[in-house]
Amino acid sequence: MTSSDPLRDPARCKELLVQIEESVKGSSLRFMEVCGTHTVALFRSGVHSLLPKSVVHLTGPGCPVCVTHESEVAAYLELAGRSGVIIATFGDLMRVPGPGGASLKKAHAEGARVEVVYSPFDALAIARDNPGDKVVFLGIGFETTTPTVAATVRIARQEGLSNFLVMPFHKLVPPALDALLSDPDMAVEGFMLPGHVSAIIGMEPYRPLAERYHVPAVVAGFEPVDLLQAILLMTEMKRQGKPKVINNYKRVVADEGNPKARAIVAEVYKPVDALWRGIGTIPGSGLGFTDAYRAFDAFEVLGVELKASKPLPGCRCGEVLKGIMRPDECPLFGKACTPAQPVGPCMVSTEGSCAAYFKYQLDLNTDR
Amino acid sequence: MSDKILLDQGSGGLASHRLVADVFFKHLGNPILNRMDDAALINVSGPLAVSTDSFTVDPIFFPGGDIGSLAVHGTVNDVAMLGAKPLYLTCGFIIEEGFAMADLERIVASMGLAAKKAKVRIVAGDTKVVPRGTADKIFINTTGIGQVVANPAPSGHRARPGDAVIISGTLGDHGLTVLSHRQGLSFEAPVQSDCASLNHLTLKLIEALPKVHVLRDPTRGGLATSLNEIAQQSSVGIVLDEPAIPVSDVVRAGCEILGLDPLYLANEGKLICVLPEKYAQQALTIMRRDPLGRQARVIGSVVADRPGKVVLRTGMGGHRMLGMLEGEQLPRIC
Ligand code: SF4
């Protein structure tokens, strides 16, 4: 599947690999990508298999499915199967295991009305077509997906559609980075920052990374050259002891982000504390409806509550998401936990770190 | 005749007879079918290949084909991959009450045409009509019978280290077409299913090259899944060269938008051919002379390392596993 794209040019990639090797000589570094799409891109392009052994690339909390808290999963599963309720969701959530092995896929087989959609607008269309039912869209995702959901809610309000509801499970990246860096167990020496999220929020929210925590960070694209350039920039900043936050994805990410998208989100949502799987509550890291849009909050309208629920026994998602543990170091990895029989969501989601290791890594434990 | 399918048209009574005569015989008729006995009398000898498949595709009409032509191509191809010459098909229809008669006729006509092109005869059939809501529009089952001409017959167990892996053309066209139409998505350039019968091409291959070890059509689960099956059946490793794998620009772009991998998307008119490296060039020449194999390429090789696994060598020289598909491919979330 060749492409004449200079961002995939094998010769340029080789050059960058040599430079990285030079730059890390004598030291070993632990970097983390914050975005699930980066995790997959690193494996799919083969970058993971080519990095020098002294550069460890960890997967972070960047897959929205993986960070969806078990009590959030329990909450939407409680709705699935209620009469008069249609759940509309992105496909990734279908197989996420909930309490007692429940999942949307199983609920669907048992008769719950669950529709996989490609966009929240599709969920709106379902609401228009089924005026007698409540259509609940599961709003999970980071800053990238939220503006579209907010726009959909706004259209629903303009149209006076009162049967379209959202479960706001949205999460915000900067507060999570802050929480990670404040954790004394955390041992990450550089962040590959998410390209798509940054296109919305811009560079400003990342400033504390370098200023307060002295950690280098690079906003990166998803092609092999993008990935390698970001890694090289991090190793160079480490070597020189000059941590900065660099936008190396200028063709997509403007330093000021996308103010229009942020305005739509700010009209519909306000920051609230949110629960992250394996991490716990992070202040101001989620979004709840503003008063003007409360009528679209599935929690309020349908009387659902987040109830404390036990973490999945044995699952080490929290340590994986914090970069303390590599997925293949989890005792259940590849044994009790596989994509066919997932214990945790990290093994389910297409962008989940455990799934990526399981799927792409050649020889677990030895080929790194 | 009513313009919608009615329940009594599947009852076996007069209404069924009229449907059979007016629609099925009109498009599928041949001396064996037309006898209208309880079973078809066919004459075959020697080793036979038999395959059956049920078709439940949604949407039932898509660019490049429909459920009818697919039901012929799919089963013809399965039989052909065993090194056999497909001769006869049977078909069973399950139709939802209220289905448009014009659509049924269109589907049956398209089956007739596909069968004619593949040079197979539809010799027996069955029609059931089920109450509205108990089936989704129309389901078709086809069973194919073919005479095995290759000796030994190609099989998934016969891949050996030193073999070359060839694909007859671009990947993912059918899967992306069906998926994008189901979701009502359209891309800048149109995508079209590759749906076609490959039996004439496989026959040319096995006649010229009895050394063909494996033939397989990478349908559901795509190239990645088929190669994993072969690697496991033969206890060999397969190394693929990613830049060599043909994917059209439209499919590549569509997959990027949807977060799908073309190597896991279904194909309905492509074949994988595994044979000793020294015959690879000959196989390519034969394939490229056929319209269905114009873009044939060697995409990898069979090795003794990592038995049961498929490894992809990426454009920049890295390696990764290419595993089986787990569940369905679903569009990504961010
Ligand atoms: S391997 Fe499975 S159990 Fe272990 S952390 Fe990953 S998802 Fe959880």
Side-chain angles (χ1 to χ4, degrees):
Chain A
M1 298 202 280
T2 25
S3 157
S4 48
D5 194 335
L7 294 169
R8 296 182 187 179
D9 177 23
R12 177 83 188 105
C13 290
K14 281 210 182 87
E15 238 171 69
L16 284 162
L17 276 164
V18 172
Q19 285 172 283
I20 292 171
E21 197 120 12
E22 286 284 298
S23 176
V24 288
K25 240 183 205 147
S27 59
S28 72
L29 292 170
R30 291 165 69 87
F31 295 142
M32 175 182 269
E33 74 268 4
V34 185
C35 161
T37 316
H38 273 149
T39 307
V40 173
L42 283 162
F43 274 111
R44 283 194 59 171
S45 58
V47 168
H48 229 287
S49 66
L50 293 171
L51 283 178
K53 297 252 183 299
S54 47
V55 176
V56 176
H57 223 287
L58 300 158
T59 53
C63 150
V65 176
C66 306
V67 297
T68 302
H69 195 264
E70 40 275 4
S71 60
E72 296 177 325
V73 176
Y76 69 64
L77 285 173
E78 188 197 319
L79 278 185
R82 263 208 211 174
S83 84
V85 170
I86 302 174
I87 303 275
T89 176
F90 293 134
D92 302 46
L93 282 185
M94 289 300 284
R95 296 172 57 236
V96 171
S103 70
L104 281 179
K105 202 177 166 124
K106 279 196 191 147
H108 183 253
E110 284 156 12
R113 295 160 80 192
V114 183
E115 299 275 349
V116 171
V117 293
Y118 282 61
S119 136
F121 297 122
D122 299 343
L124 203 60
I126 298 173
R128 285 190 203 106
D129 294 346
N130 296 274
D133 299 305
K134 300 270 186 231
V135 174
V136 180
F137 177 72
L138 305 183
I140 85 156
F142 295 114
E143 286 90 337
T144 342
T145 17
T146 321
T148 334
V149 182
T152 314
V153 173
R154 211 160 67 165
I155 296 171
R157 191 163 94 145
Q158 282 158 4
E159 287 183 17
L161 260 185
S162 60
N163 68 329
F164 174 76
L165 303 172
V166 175
M167 282 201 133
F169 294 141
H170 313 290
K171 305 251 186 312
L172 303 172
V173 167
L177 291 180
D178 200 73
L180 281 182
L181 285 162
S182 322
D183 189 324
D185 290 338
M186 165 93 189
V188 170
E189 292 158 290
F191 282 106
M192 185 181 281
L193 296 172
H196 299 140
V197 166
S198 308
I200 307 288
I201 65 175
M203 300 305 290
E204 177 61 28
Y206 300 126
R207 277 238 311 267
L209 289 177
E211 284 174 11
R212 193 173 334 143
Y213 299 107
H214 310 291
V215 172
V218 181
V219 174
F222 300 90
E223 299 296 343
V225 168
D226 289 325
L227 301 167
L228 289 168
Q229 272 176 347
I231 294 170
L232 180 61
L233 283 167
M234 290 191 286
T235 56
E236 286 290 285
M237 286 190 272
K238 265 321 262 188
R239 198 167 57 88
Q240 293 160 2
K242 283 190 197 142
K244 275 190 290 186
V245 180
I246 297 176
N247 179 1
N248 199 48
Y249 194 29
K250 288 222 156 108
R251 62 181 194 275
V252 171
V253 176
D255 284 355
E256 67 282 6
N258 182 340
K260 252 199 198 151
R262 286 203 303 272
I264 297 178
V265 174
E267 180 188 328
V268 177
Y269 293 116
K270 60 177 186 218
V272 294
D273 296 351
L275 273 168
W276 293 59
R277 187 188 291 267
I279 299 177
T281 302
I282 303 180
S285 68
L287 293 171
F289 281 99
T290 52
D291 286 346
Y293 284 90
R294 276 171 56 187
F296 296 93
D297 189 341
F299 284 100
E300 277 208 36
V301 176
L302 298 174
V304 196
E305 272 174 36
L306 281 192
K307 295 186 201 93
S309 79
K310 280 194 213 107
L312 301 162
C315 180
R316 310 288 285 268
C317 284
E319 280 138 289
V320 170
L321 297 176
K322 287 186 203 164
I324 297 168
M325 182 184 263
R326 251 180 20 222
D328 52 334
E329 289 164 350
C330 165
L332 301 190
F333 180 89
K335 298 179 194 102
C337 183
T338 62
Q341 282 289 334
V343 172
C346 303
M347 192 53 99
V348 181
S349 163
T350 38
E351 310 208 320
S353 37
C354 300
Y357 267 73
F358 190 90
K359 196 166 160 203
Y360 297 122
Q361 181 137 307
L362 286 185
D363 287 322
L364 304 161
N365 293 318
T366 56
D367 264 19
R368 289 196 43 90
Chain B
M1 221 173 12
S2 144
D3 64 347
K4 300 267 185 232
I5 289 284
L6 307 175
L7 267 180
D8 61 357
Q9 284 169 319
S11 66
L14 274 180
S16 314
H17 275 272
R18 260 191 312 257
L19 179 70
V20 168
D22 292 352
V23 178
F24 294 105
F25 278 25
K26 180 169 148 200
H27 297 289
L28 309 179
N30 59 63
I32 304 175
L33 183 71
N34 294 358
R35 291 174 69 99
M36 291 193 78
D37 284 328
D38 282 354
L41 199 62
I42 52 175
N43 230 330
V44 268
S45 59
L48 298 180
V50 180
S51 181
T52 191
D53 206 346
S54 298
F55 297 82
T56 60
V57 64
D58 169 36
I60 50 176
F61 298 103
F62 47 83
D66 56 67
I67 190 169
S69 56
L70 194 62
V72 172
H73 298 316
T75 296
V76 161
N77 289 347
D78 283 346
V79 170
M81 294 307 140
L82 223 74
K85 196 172 165 182
L87 298 170
Y88 302 112
L89 287 184
T90 71
C91 61
F93 287 82
I94 294 175
I95 312 171
E96 187 184 12
E97 174 191 12
F99 189 72
M101 189 61 76
D103 284 348
L104 178 65
E105 178 137 20
R106 199 173 142 197
I107 289 167
V108 177
S110 146
M111 284 184 88
L113 192 68
K116 202 168 147 200
K117 271 203 215 157
K119 297 208 173 81
V120 294
R121 281 176 168 177
I122 294 175
V123 292
D126 173 56
T127 313
K128 295 281 184 303
V129 179
V130 296
R132 192 184 265 278
T134 56
D136 187 11
K137 299 186 274 288
I138 184 167
F139 300 151
I140 305 178
N141 170 276
T142 48
T143 296
I145 297 173
Q147 197 146 29
V148 179
V149 286
N151 184 21
S155 141
H157 294 90
R158 295 187 54 219
R160 294 288 170 267
D163 284 356
V165 179
I166 300 178
I167 185 80
S168 63
T170 56
L171 293 166
D173 303 75
H174 177 76
L176 189 70
T177 304
V178 168
L179 207 66
S180 59
H181 276 255
R182 193 180 304 160
Q183 301 302 332
L185 304 169
S186 56
F187 304 113
E188 264 168 50
V191 272
Q192 195 176 332
S193 168
D194 56 348
C195 181
S197 286
L198 295 160
N199 53 325
H200 305 311
L201 178 56
T202 52
L203 194 64
K204 281 184 221 160
L205 272 173
I206 51 178
E207 276 175 359
L209 297 164
K211 292 287 187 298
V212 169
H213 284 162
V214 186
L215 289 175
R216 178 147 313 176
D217 60 334
T219 53
R220 271 191 313 176
L223 177 77
T225 305
S226 296
L227 288 179
N228 269 282
E229 284 164 5
I230 295 170
Q232 280 167 22
Q233 285 177 293
S234 302
S235 295
V236 293
I238 293 178
V239 180
L240 292 184
D241 193 18
E242 191 171 29
I245 302 174
V247 177
S248 78
D249 288 344
V250 206
V251 170
R252 190 193 309 279
C255 281
E256 239 154 62
I257 294 169
L258 296 174
L260 301 171
D261 187 339
L263 304 188
Y264 290 90
L265 284 178
N267 310 281
E268 290 293 347
K270 297 292 150 50
L271 67 88
I272 300 168
C273 171
V274 179
L275 82 179
E277 166 75 60
K278 60 175 169 189
Y279 302 110
Q281 210 45 52
Q282 248 176 296
L284 279 182
T285 312
I286 295 169
M287 283 166 124
R288 286 181 182 157
R289 257 191 239 132
D290 189 288
L292 295 177
R294 221 119 291 137
Q295 287 164 291
R297 292 184 71 166
V298 174
I299 55 170
S301 51
V302 178
V303 295
D305 278 1
R306 298 185 215 277
K309 306 262 190 252
V310 181
V311 172
L312 196 68
R313 199 184 311 120
T314 66
M316 54 179 292
H319 288 82
R320 66 167 163 99
M321 290 249 298
L322 189 66
M324 285 236 188
L325 181 60
E326 185 62 60
E328 272 179 276
Q329 261 210 111
L330 293 167
R332 69 154 157 250
I333 202 156
C334 76

